[in-house]
């Protein structure tokens, strides 16, 4: 809720020409940054994996065998946030301690200074480096018990990396599971039932999500304006809409009284200038079914009061259609970013309940 209240300030600062909108949000989120402080349960260090920064959590508990590992990717719309933010730091500590697992929390570069595919490539670089047998031996990790996980934009990156790994012949170690927490998964239809139902909900109103998506690819406001009116996909990319057709992919209870409308196509110029928004590495729902085969057992968390709700639900439908085992945890009373509430005195109960469900699933399946 606090984040939403800062939006007018960010807009005003940008309008005055004082600083970029995302710079204001970054200043606000930086208040929550924590130092890498070890405790009695976990040793915490800031390090680099193949020159990409990451925060490493090593459990102190003795273990007779090799440890499990979770590679975590933080959210923040590819523009803000970081692994050192207090809620992410706390979640990683809990994960490391409760699972006796090594946790690698990736610190990828952010927009608007860096645009797609930089964020994807940073995460992919860390994951590919970590999955080398020599590195796993160094950290005492079992190569058969590794998870990739992320929330929101981090869930987007986790899903995209998991897909890309399937085609990478250099990577011999396979992910055992993936966990996608209220992920952003498609750029084509920003007028889904969930976008309509939650257009002005706290934390992530539609206007902010559209801004995050557009900033991921460019600072050119023409893309942002086209996305805001849902007229950004060129006609020559019309074949991609079948991958995000909510009338086929959403269960009835999420359709409510919404009626599917055919897309209104936008300028071919935008697709040519910024092809990233049509790239499956940015929008994992845009891959063919054959590209989903071989993905690991998947956990998808969605929140009812979230513009991204239907992205996650459509991915659940598509994964199940091709035979991937999926556990879908839908939280009726939650808004986007519920796991960020684990440090909030007012929302502790809900944040803890959801975090415990997620960690319990990891414990059983990893």
């Amino acid at each position: 809720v606090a984040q939403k209240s800062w939006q007018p300030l960010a807009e005003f600062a940008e309008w005055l020409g004082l600083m970029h909108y995302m710079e204001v949000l970054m200043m606000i989120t930086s208040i929550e940054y924590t130092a890498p402080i070890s405790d009695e349960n976990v040793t915490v260090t800031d390090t680099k994996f193949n020159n990409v920064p990451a925060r490493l959590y090593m459990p102190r508990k003795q273990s007779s065998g090799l440890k499990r590992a979770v590679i975590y990717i933080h959210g923040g719309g590819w523009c803000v946030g970081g692994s050192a933010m207090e809620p992410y730091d706390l979640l990683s500590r809990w994960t490391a301690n409760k699972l006796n697992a090594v946790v690698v929390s990736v610190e990828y570069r952010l927009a608007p200074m860096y645009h797609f595919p930089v964020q994807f490539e940073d995460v992919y670089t860390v994951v590919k480096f970590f999955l080398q047998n020599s590195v796993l031996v160094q950290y005492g990790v079992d190569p058969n018990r590794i998870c990739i996980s992320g929330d929101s934009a981090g869930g987007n990156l986790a899903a995209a990396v998991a897909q890309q790994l399937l085609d990478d012949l250099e990577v011999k170690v396979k992910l055992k599971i993936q966990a996608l927490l209220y992920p952003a998964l498609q750029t084509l239809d920003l007028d889904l039932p969930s976008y309509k139902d939650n257009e002005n909900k706290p934390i992530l109103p539609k206007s902010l999500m559209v801004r995050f998506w557009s900033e991921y690819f460019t600072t050119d406001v023409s893309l942002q304006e086209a996305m805001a009116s849902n007229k950004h996909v060129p006609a020559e990319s019309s074949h991609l809409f079948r991958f995000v057709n909510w009338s086929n992919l959403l269960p009835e209870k999420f359709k409510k009284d919404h009626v599917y409308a055919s897309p209104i196509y936008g300028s071919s110029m935008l697709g040519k200038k910024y092809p990233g928004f049509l790239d499956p590495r940015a929008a994992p729902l845009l891959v063919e079914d054959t590209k989903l085969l071989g993905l690991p057992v998947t956990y998808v968390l969605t929140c009812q009061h979230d513009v991204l709700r239907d992205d996650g639900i459509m991915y659940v439908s598509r994964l199940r259609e091709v035979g991937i085992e999926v556990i879908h945890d839908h939280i009726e009373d939650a808004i986007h970013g519920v796991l960020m509430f684990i440090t909030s005195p007012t929302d502790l109960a809900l944040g803890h309940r959801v975090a415990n469900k997620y960690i319990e699933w990891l414990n059983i399946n990893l």
Side-chain angles (χ1 to χ4, degrees):
V1 178
Q3 190 181 56
K4 189 181 179 192
S5 66
W6 283 102
Q7 281 177 251
L9 174 63
E11 290 165 359
F12 186 59
E14 186 172 59
W15 179 75
L16 288 175
L18 298 175
M19 61 175 63
H20 189 279
Y21 181 97
M22 294 303 170
E23 289 178 318
V24 180
L25 291 188
M26 198 65 194
M27 280 176 56
I28 296 159
T29 55
S30 67
I31 296 167
E32 292 198 69
Y33 278 32
T34 59
I37 299 170
S38 301
D39 59 32
E40 67 274 15
N41 298 312
V42 183
T43 301
V44 183
T45 51
D46 284 340
T47 184
K48 289 187 176 180
F49 288 91
N50 206 11
N51 295 316
V52 178
R55 183 163 283 194
L56 179 67
Y57 299 81
M58 295 289 295
R60 293 181 186 268
K61 202 180 300 174
Q62 290 303 309
S63 167
S64 55
L66 296 172
K67 289 180 167 59
R68 300 178 278 189
V70 176
I71 303 167
Y72 194 83
I73 307 153
H74 72 80
W78 311 276
C79 297
V80 297
S83 59
M85 283 179 67
E86 189 180 6
Y88 289 124
D89 182 68
L90 184 56
L91 185 64
S92 292
R93 286 172 189 276
W94 286 356
T95 306
N97 185 37
K98 294 182 180 182
L99 303 185
N100 197 29
V102 175
V103 176
V104 176
S105 190
V106 186
E107 196 66 72
Y108 54 91
R109 286 170 288 178
L110 300 171
M113 189 174 292
Y114 301 96
H115 297 295
F116 173 84
V118 169
Q119 291 83 340
F120 171 85
E121 288 172 347
D122 280 356
V123 175
Y124 198 79
T125 295
V126 171
V127 173
K128 188 168 179 176
F129 182 83
F130 187 74
L131 291 180
Q132 296 176 105
N133 276 310
S134 58
V135 177
L136 298 177
V137 168
Q138 180 184 345
Y139 293 107
V141 170
D142 185 339
N144 298 309
R145 302 178 78 189
I146 300 169
C147 167
I148 190 166
S149 178
D151 69 292
S152 195
N156 164 283
L157 292 163
V161 165
Q163 289 180 0
Q164 192 85 355
L165 284 171
L166 296 178
D167 296 326
D168 194 330
L169 299 178
E170 294 179 357
V171 181
K172 307 301 183 191
V173 175
K174 305 295 182 190
L175 297 171
K176 185 175 185 187
I177 57 174
Q178 64 173 339
L180 312 176
L181 312 172
Y182 34 86
L185 297 172
Q186 60 86 35
T187 49
L188 297 195
D189 191 350
L190 304 183
D191 215 11
L192 298 168
S194 58
Y195 272 91
K196 290 180 174 177
D197 292 344
N198 303 296
E199 183 174 359
N200 297 306
K201 290 285 170 70
I203 302 296
L204 191 64
K206 178 181 175 179
S207 59
L208 181 56
M209 190 61 226
V210 167
R211 183 79 191 250
F212 279 144
W213 267 128
S214 63
E215 292 283 355
Y216 189 21
F217 307 110
T218 175
T219 50
D220 180 351
V221 295
S222 62
L223 179 61
Q224 181 190 338
E225 290 165 355
M227 283 184 151
S229 59
N230 213 34
K231 297 174 185 172
H232 55 291
V233 180
E236 54 267 33
S237 299
S238 61
H239 62 286
L240 295 174
F241 275 97
R242 74 185 191 276
F243 298 132
V244 299
N245 185 329
W246 63 262
S247 66
N248 297 330
L249 294 170
L250 286 185
E252 288 301 322
K253 74 172 193 171
F254 295 105
K255 295 179 186 178
K256 295 186 179 175
D257 299 323
H258 298 285
V259 178
Y260 186 80
S262 298
I264 300 172
Y265 300 112
S267 159
S268 295
M269 182 192 70
L270 282 177
K272 290 190 175 99
K273 281 178 80 175
Y274 312 115
F277 76 85
L278 301 169
D279 190 319
R281 293 174 301 164
L285 262 167
L286 302 188
V287 296
E288 298 279 351
D289 284 356
T290 53
K291 293 287 187 182
L292 301 174
L293 298 172
L295 283 172
V297 173
T298 301
Y299 176 85
V300 178
L301 175 71
T302 57
C303 301
Q304 179 65 19
H305 308 292
D306 180 6
V307 292
L308 297 180
R309 178 193 71 207
D310 295 347
D311 283 27
I313 296 170
M314 290 194 295
Y315 203 40
V316 169
S317 295
R318 290 199 56 203
L319 290 173
R320 284 178 174 162
E321 281 174 9
V322 299
I324 304 300
E325 184 183 339
V326 185
I327 287 74
H328 177 206
D329 230 342
H330 183 67
I331 314 297
E332 285 285 347
D333 54 347
I335 60 174
H336 185 82
V338 64
L339 286 172
M340 300 300 283
F341 300 151
I342 55 177
T343 60
S344 162
T346 54
D347 297 296
L348 273 175
L350 179 60
H352 279 231
R353 172 160 60 86
V354 176
N356 286 333
K357 283 165 77 85
Y358 157 66
I359 291 174
E360 182 183 354
W361 184 85
L362 289 180
N363 192 35
I364 293 168
N365 291 276
L366 188 59

